[in-house]
Amino acid sequence: MLQLMLHAHPRIAIPPETRLVLESYRQRRDFGDLTDPRRRRALAEWITRGKGTYFADLGLDTGGVVEEIVAEADTLGTALGVVFRAYARRFGKPRWGDKRPAYVRNLPILARLFPDAQFVHIIRDGRDCVASLTEMPWHRGGVNQAISAWAQAVDHGRWARRTLGRDSYHEVRYEQLVADPETELRALCTYLGEEYDAAMTAPDRVAGVAVPARKTWHVRTHRPVGSDRVGRWASRLSPQELGLCEAVLGDRLRAQGYVLSGAPRPPAALRLGYERQALRHRLAGLRRSAVRTADRLPWTPAVAARI
């Protein structure tokens, strides 16, 4: 919904999820020195035709994007910027962005690729997020993974708020956005340095061009904005799931201004299952930190966008 609100702005284009940025960053050493045009072409071919990427969803001229990357992209950030610039150009817009839930756990990587980036983090009641996520056809991790994912997202957002500052990081509260879109979007535009446009309050009008038809779980993006999904956790979570959510996320929920229901604490076995999942998430975070440390070594190739 927020992606489409921004895409409805006359100067901003936000594509469907591309699955290009983090994947290409992880494989950047395979592409090698991008001052070599042959390596730039190999990267361009992977971006536009690689298995698992969603480049086809962007509706761009593949050959044209390949040649732009070969001509300009002496860094990975520049190559990715060429793709997003081409998408914005498709709609006659000068600014672009990208949206993906996993980005909140990888903000240092994004800041390295795009040093002048502005980050927008939308926060929703963790109980509603868990209820929604467990109903998604692509979610395989169950309630434990969903709870841990929300905890991680909020924790990373807290880090970003402290570290990046007001010029580079902005939070939007989902419940406030759907209740009063204009007020929240005006504040967002002020942060972005753009004029507010009333078209942003009707994201359903651009869903047909910015949401791939295969993503049937986004069917609600074709409907007007409303508050009917707020507080749905009360009917969608079982008593045990709700108890686990509030036992694990209680402090974070309260810190974000959400009121707990007072659900009974979950059985010890249920809590133990969650702790195992949370440990895996924490270990993954340590691995990401190790990678970021290695990225700061003096001989590490530049990746920042020059576009």
Side-chain angles (χ1 to χ4, degrees):
M1 179 187 68
L2 182 56
Q3 170 218 344
L4 295 176
M5 286 175 164
L6 286 165
H7 188 70
H9 192 282
R11 285 177 42 83
I12 301 172
I14 310 288
E17 290 186 22
T18 62
R19 296 295 174 97
L20 293 175
V21 176
L22 298 179
E23 287 74 9
S24 61
Y25 187 84
R26 294 182 187 117
Q27 299 181 50
R28 65 195 182 284
R29 291 181 179 85
D30 295 338
F31 298 113
D33 181 4
L34 295 181
T35 60
D36 183 340
R38 293 170 301 177
R39 295 186 180 276
R40 293 201 293 271
R41 186 169 296 278
L43 171 61
E45 291 293 337
W46 179 87
I47 285 174
T48 56
R49 299 183 174 91
K51 183 179 178 181
T53 70
Y54 295 162
F55 179 85
D57 288 342
L58 304 184
L60 301 177
D61 171 27
T62 299
V65 171
V66 167
E67 295 308 320
E68 283 189 68
I69 291 173
V70 173
E72 296 183 51
D74 59 347
T75 69
L76 177 58
T78 305
L80 295 168
V82 164
V83 176
F84 293 119
R85 182 184 65 186
Y87 184 78
R89 191 169 59 218
R90 175 186 162 192
F91 298 95
K93 299 180 180 184
R95 295 191 70 177
W96 50 262
D98 197 23
K99 166 260 177 186
R100 187 178 176 187
Y103 285 160
V104 73
R105 302 192 303 272
N106 293 278
L107 294 178
I109 289 174
L110 298 180
R112 188 163 184 253
L113 287 165
F114 308 110
D116 60 349
Q118 290 179 287
F119 299 103
V120 180
H121 184 195
I122 184 165
I123 297 176
R124 185 185 184 189
D125 188 321
R127 296 161 296 189
D128 274 334
C129 284
V130 169
S132 178
L133 188 57
T134 53
E135 293 174 356
M136 292 295 104
W138 42 263
H139 180 72
R140 300 288 185 269
V143 69
N144 288 334
Q145 187 182 70
I147 293 173
S148 182
W150 191 83
Q152 289 244 323
V154 169
D155 291 347
H156 284 287
R158 188 182 303 148
W159 171 88
R161 193 185 314 120
R162 291 194 315 266
T163 307
L164 299 177
R166 293 182 180 180
D167 292 338
S168 299
Y169 178 81
H170 180 80
E171 288 182 350
V172 177
R173 186 62 55 87
Y174 170 83
E175 292 81 8
Q176 295 172 355
L177 180 62
V178 297
D180 187 2
E182 181 175 339
T183 297
E184 297 304 311
L185 290 171
R186 282 186 180 278
L188 176 57
C189 285
T190 297
Y191 159 71
L192 294 174
E194 297 288 349
E195 293 290 329
Y196 166 76
D197 192 283
M200 299 174 75
T201 62
D204 53 305
R205 295 178 184 173
V206 297
V209 297
V211 177
R214 61 184 173 79
K215 294 189 175 182
T216 55
W217 53 91
H218 288 325
V219 65
R220 288 185 54 79
T221 60
H222 295 270
R223 304 173 192 168
V225 175
S227 297
D228 55 305
R229 306 294 282 187
V230 175
R232 289 285 300 276
W233 54 264
S235 60
R236 296 163 76 191
L237 293 177
S238 71
Q240 282 196 340
E241 290 171 338
L242 178 56
L244 182 60
C245 276
E246 295 195 350
V248 171
L249 304 177
D251 290 344
R252 295 178 179 89
L253 287 167
R254 280 190 291 264
Q256 297 294 335
Y258 298 109
V259 178
L260 303 189
S261 70
R265 298 185 69 81
L270 201 63
R271 179 66 183 258
L272 182 60
Y274 165 78
E275 293 298 343
R276 291 195 187 101
Q277 175 63 53
L279 177 60
R280 287 194 286 271
H281 267 165
R282 285 193 289 271
L283 291 174
L286 290 174
R287 288 194 293 271
R288 285 193 295 271
S289 296
V291 169
R292 292 197 295 268
T293 299
D295 287 342
R296 290 194 291 268
L297 295 174
W299 55 83
T300 303
V303 297
R306 309 189 221 270
I307 188 170

